Amino acid sequence: MKICQVERPLVATNRIPGLEHRHLQVVRDGSSRAVAVDAVGCIPGDWVICVGSSAAREAAGSKEYPSDLTIVGIIDQWPPGGETDDGNSPG
């Protein structure tokens, strides 16, 4: 599992049949960006828990689902006290 921040929705109307109508989100993990299947209904700015590999496919609804990153939870409060959004201590 990894912690990411949702940047924005990703709209892709032309998809393979296996992607169905799942919502996609652009997430940031440090300085890298990725596309994740949104299984929980998050919004931009939310800090989320993401899973990858076979756990991502299963969390998206099926072992055959073509996902390698799925959002499985929204974090209530992040970053932890004393840290800024970039992971550094303030000051």
Side-chain angles (χ1 to χ4, degrees):
M1 289 190 283
K2 63 167 85 175
I3 294 173
C4 297
Q5 187 174 29
V6 178
E7 286 194 341
R8 63 185 177 275
L10 179 74
V11 178
T13 54
N14 195 5
R15 305 179 187 202
I16 63 171
L19 277 177
E20 300 164 351
H21 297 288
R22 303 289 166 107
H23 293 280
L24 303 174
Q25 299 282 359
V26 176
V27 297
R28 185 178 67 232
D29 174 19
S31 61
S32 66
R33 290 185 174 105
V35 175
V37 174
D38 183 357
V40 295
C42 53
I43 60 171
D46 281 345
W47 287 94
V48 294
I49 301 168
C50 297
V51 294
S53 192
S54 62
R57 291 186 293 278
E58 210 164 311
S62 167
K63 290 183 181 180
E64 276 71 53
Y65 194 83
S67 173
D68 61 353
L69 190 64
T70 300
I71 299 168
V72 295
I74 300 171
I75 299 171
D76 293 332
Q77 185 176 357
W78 187 264
E83 288 186 6
T84 60
D85 285 350
D86 61 3
N88 296 319
S89 295

